[in-house]
Amino acid sequence: MGILSQTTQIVLLLIASLNLPKPDQTWPLDTASPVQLRQKGGSVSEAAGVHKQCLVLKGKSLLEVKDSAAVPNSQKPFTLTVWFNPYNLNRGQQMIASKNRYALNEREWGVMIDRDQKLRLYVHQDGWKTAHADAKLKPGHWHQVGVVIGADKAELWLNGKLMGTVELTRPIPQTKAPLTFGGVDDNGRIRQTFQGALDDVRLFHRALKSLDMEALYTPVEAMQPIPGYAKPFSLWDKAQNLPLATEIPTLEDVTFRVIKKWDKQADGYTFLHGVGLGWHKGKLYASIGHNKGAENTVTEEAQYRVSDDHGRTWSELRVIDEGGDENLAVSHGVFLSHAGKLWAFQGAYYDKMKNIHTRAYSLDENTGEWIKHGIVVENGFWPMNQPVRMDNGNWVMPGISAGPYSNESVFPAAVAISHGDDFTKWDYVEIPTGEGIERMWGESAIFADGAHIFNIARYGGEASALLAESQDYGRTWTPSRISNLPMATSKPAAGTLSNGQHFLICTTANNNGGKRTPLTIAVTAPGENVFRKVFVIRRSRHLEKPGESADNLSLSYPCAIEYAGHLYVGYSNNGGRRGNLNSAEMAIIPLAGLQVKE
């Protein structure tokens, strides 16, 4: 009986294949300059596809169907099929086809590779309702997705098989949102972009039957070579599962301190960011960028406080530099204590983020005044973590080559290399960006393994850490490339503990997107260069402990310095407020709690 039914099914499929349903509209995606579509967010290229050519999207662009506000009519039955070939599944949400503009409250439907790497259909029913496919997607392989919208249900199909359904209790909204492939144009902001190839889109103005959907699919054996820019480099040990944020263990015996509470009503300051920490002659110094006006304007000041008791109490706010020159702003930076002298290296700029550079200062402990040594690094360099002494006797200071902020530009990671212990002379070295990196705000951190220096940078395109490496003490670098380590789009802190473990502080968790919470620390085993364990330093809710607490806040821009068996971690906490209206806070972590067995 089983053989007969199987044979019958094969015969029915053969009959159906001879009379395949004819689409009402098609987009072959054979050429990079299709008449029916417009490219947004970046260029696309051509490659061999399922049917003749296909289009390759690098994860920065999308294809919009022209004059498609009513194509399809989401309130009537329709079927859409798309061939897709994903290159990298670990990129957050990657839209394959969509009819949404979230910023304008135009939400209809979308089918995407979701954060958990599953194919998922979203339909709007007074809120999103979803259906997903449990089948694993394979990078480099062709898959066919089908969306069938009927009168009372929506169906998700993958490779000729029904994966799930959503009950429709009301018609899907019909808006002016265009039909897009490979991403969403959210009223000018390109979001949820797909990295891979798309081919042969077909639209039917009716809900196809199961036999039709099965007949439309024919397996494709040919694979596509995955380009280098889509292959993540290893920063995380592939043998270890990276947990979800809720599953990451929280460090015990951590002490918390408040360096500067956000209190505009009392002191008039709004912007606060970029904590820098330095130990000098038994005292803890903490610096911040502070502004009574808006962020990155000329009223920014470099300020600091000093503690004699490990951060329990702090001095009054003091000034490193408040500018003074016409249109000059001096902002947050880093400390370095060496040879009995405390140095400060501060990011500075003119007007609103023009001519960004780094200025050096040394503390006259007799007078309490900071001696100005002027500009020591140009080319847009803004230091992001304190200098690290290398085995060749020079120091390397990680940062960014920045300019007036743009969401669509590349601001690469960079380092400055000292002339030995002369901290008034530094060589600027820009780190190249890899292929496919078309949007980046490269605030960076480093750790060193002899001449081998690792640079970990913030990526603007997605919530992944970028990795670049140098084998010659920072003089030349591989391009910054996407790694396999998720990381919030925020400044990281990194370094090496006295026990030989490297660490990375930011927000690192599986399926967490760009959220800047919880604040985490990832560590290697001693002598290794890939991270294998991650801990939570603190979560958003922090009741009965020092520091601001809320259901969802940003814990960001960390810095870290080791002292007396503990790692001191400074960070910004926006208290749930929008923007960088931050308090400056600190966590003190016993090194024993960070140990990982080799």
Side-chain angles (χ1 to χ4, degrees):
M1 190 69 178
I3 295 176
L4 282 175
S5 60
Q6 193 174 38
T7 303
T8 302
Q9 187 177 17
I10 293 172
V11 170
L12 289 172
L13 286 172
L14 286 172
I15 294 172
S17 67
L18 296 175
N19 190 26
L20 291 177
K22 292 190 171 31
D24 295 285
Q25 289 179 261
T26 62
W27 296 276
L29 306 189
D30 288 336
T31 173
S33 301
V35 176
Q36 305 159 296
L37 304 170
R38 60 172 60 92
Q39 299 174 24
K40 291 188 173 183
S43 60
V44 300
S45 58
E46 299 174 12
V50 175
H51 300 287
K52 300 180 182 178
Q53 297 291 94
C54 68
L55 294 183
V56 174
L57 287 73
K58 294 181 179 181
K60 306 298 177 187
S61 55
L62 59 79
L63 302 167
E64 180 184 297
V65 178
K66 296 179 180 178
D67 302 319
S68 60
V71 180
N73 186 336
S74 296
Q75 295 191 325
K76 294 182 178 181
F78 71 88
T79 300
L80 184 80
T81 63
V82 185
W83 284 92
F84 70 101
N85 191 322
Y87 289 168
N88 182 358
L89 300 176
N90 191 29
R91 297 188 65 251
Q93 293 182 319
Q94 300 184 74
M95 192 67 75
I96 297 169
S98 165
K99 206 163 181 302
N100 297 307
R101 285 192 297 200
Y102 312 117
L104 300 180
N105 199 28
E106 296 175 351
R107 295 172 170 84
E108 298 185 29
W109 57 269
V111 61
M112 68 169 71
I113 301 171
D114 218 332
R115 293 188 181 95
D116 57 4
Q117 303 185 9
K118 293 181 179 180
L119 185 70
R120 185 167 279 109
L121 171 65
Y122 284 74
V123 293
H124 207 264
Q125 295 284 282
D126 192 25
W128 291 115
K129 303 295 181 183
T130 66
H132 71 271
D134 285 321
K136 289 188 176 181
L137 303 174
K138 298 179 180 179
H141 292 257
W142 283 103
H143 309 72
Q144 186 195 59
V145 61
V147 175
V148 181
I149 305 296
D152 57 0
K153 66 179 179 179
E155 298 177 344
L156 174 65
W157 287 74
L158 178 63
N159 297 339
K161 296 181 180 179
L162 178 62
M163 294 287 113
T165 62
V166 176
E167 180 184 0
L168 299 181
T169 58
R170 65 187 66 200
I172 297 173
Q174 182 67 29
T175 73
K176 295 181 180 180
L179 176 62
T180 57
F181 308 127
V184 172
D185 180 358
D186 194 14
N187 196 30
R189 180 185 177 191
I190 306 303
R191 299 182 59 187
Q192 297 173 321
T193 51
F194 174 74
Q195 191 175 80
L198 298 176
D199 199 5
D200 190 40
V201 182
R202 303 183 185 187
L203 175 64
F204 306 81
H205 295 321
R206 58 196 184 281
L208 295 184
K209 306 290 187 182
S210 294
L211 280 178
D212 290 330
M213 294 299 293
E214 293 168 1
L216 284 172
Y217 174 71
T218 302
V220 177
E221 300 297 330
M223 292 180 59
Q224 278 199 333
I226 298 177
Y229 63 80
K231 296 177 181 178
F233 287 78
S234 291
L235 258 180
W236 177 260
D237 185 349
K238 297 177 182 178
Q240 310 297 323
N241 290 323
L242 182 63
L244 298 171
T246 55
E247 299 170 348
I248 299 174
T250 301
L251 289 169
E252 298 179 354
D253 301 322
V254 178
T255 302
F256 294 93
R257 308 290 191 207
V258 176
I259 299 169
K260 169 63 178 72
K261 180 183 177 181
W262 188 82
D263 194 357
K264 181 181 179 181
Q265 185 174 0
D267 58 30
Y269 283 92
T270 52
F271 168 82
L272 184 157
H273 217 12
V275 179
L277 294 178
W279 279 94
H280 181 65
K281 297 182 179 179
K283 295 181 180 180
L284 179 58
Y285 289 73
S287 65
I288 53 174
H290 223 184
N291 200 327
K292 290 184 176 180
E295 176 179 0
N296 298 334
T297 60
V298 294
T299 50
E300 213 123 302
E301 303 173 41
Q303 299 181 347
Y304 73 107
R305 278 182 155 171
V306 187
S307 174
D308 295 318
D309 54 9
H310 298 253
R312 292 185 184 89
T313 60
W314 295 91
S315 71
E316 74 287 354
L317 279 174
R318 303 171 183 175
V319 174
I320 297 174
D321 195 349
E322 55 188 3
D325 293 350
E326 185 177 0
N327 296 326
L328 172 65
V330 182
S331 188
H332 57 81
V334 299
F335 287 121
L336 174 62
S337 176
H338 181 66
K341 183 180 288 189
L342 182 63
W343 290 80
F345 305 97
Q346 307 298 130
Y349 54 87
Y350 288 92
D351 296 314
K352 188 172 175 64
M353 296 286 278
K354 294 180 181 178
N355 301 321
I356 294 172
H357 56 274
T358 297
R359 292 173 175 251
Y361 307 81
S362 60
L363 181 62
D364 184 333
E365 296 178 65
N366 293 321
T367 65
E369 299 295 322
W370 288 89
I371 301 170
K372 297 180 179 181
H373 298 278
I375 298 173
V376 294
V377 194
E378 297 187 275
N379 302 104
F381 185 78
W382 193 319
M384 290 290 140
N385 284 273
Q386 64 265 29
V388 174
R389 188 179 178 89
M390 297 184 289
D391 289 350
N392 67 354
N394 293 331
W395 297 72
V396 56
M397 181 164 54
I400 180 178
S401 177
Y405 183 81
S406 168
N407 200 37
E408 303 299 329
S409 300
V410 172
F411 296 94
V415 298
I417 300 175
S418 73
H419 293 197
D421 290 341
D422 185 348
F423 299 134
T424 65
K425 295 180 180 178
W426 297 80
D427 296 331
Y428 167 83
V429 181
E430 184 173 302
I431 297 175
T433 53
E435 184 182 3
I437 305 296
E438 297 178 359
R439 181 159 66 93
M440 179 179 177
W441 188 251
E443 296 165 328
S444 68
I446 59 168
F447 63 85
D449 183 4
H452 192 180
I453 314 297
F454 296 78
N455 180 281
I456 300 172
R458 170 182 175 176
Y459 183 20
E462 60 187 75
S464 297
L466 296 181
L467 172 66
E469 298 175 62
S470 172
Q471 299 287 351
D472 57 4
Y473 295 105
R475 292 295 175 182
T476 61
W477 293 85
T478 66
S480 292
R481 303 154 295 180
I482 299 172
S483 76
N484 67 340
L485 184 68
M487 189 181 82
T489 49
S490 180
K491 165 191 172 297
T496 305
L497 302 175
S498 55
N499 63 6
Q501 288 181 276
H502 304 305
F503 66 86
L504 172 69
I505 303 172
C506 197
T507 297
T508 293
N510 190 14
N511 194 21
N512 206 54
K515 294 179 182 177
R516 295 181 174 187
T517 184
L519 184 65
T520 65
I521 180 169
V523 292
T524 71
E528 292 187 354
N529 293 324
V530 291
F531 299 101
R532 61 160 64 179
K533 185 75 173 178
V534 62
F535 301 95
V536 167
I537 298 173
R538 67 152 288 184
R539 300 185 185 275
S540 292
R541 275 290 173 192
H542 201 58
L543 299 178
E544 300 181 0
K545 294 181 180 179
E548 295 196 75
S549 176
D551 287 336
N552 188 20
L553 43 72
S554 290
L555 305 168
S556 65
Y557 275 60
C559 66
I561 188 168
E562 183 181 336
Y563 182 79
H566 292 77
L567 187 66
Y568 288 71
V569 178
Y571 56 90
S572 295
N573 180 349
N574 76 350
R577 296 174 290 273
R578 289 185 175 272
N580 289 317
L581 311 181
N582 297 311
S583 292
E585 300 179 0
M586 183 174 68
I588 306 172
I589 304 170
L591 295 189
L594 298 174
Q595 292 181 358
V596 174
K597 294 181 180 180
E598 296 186 53

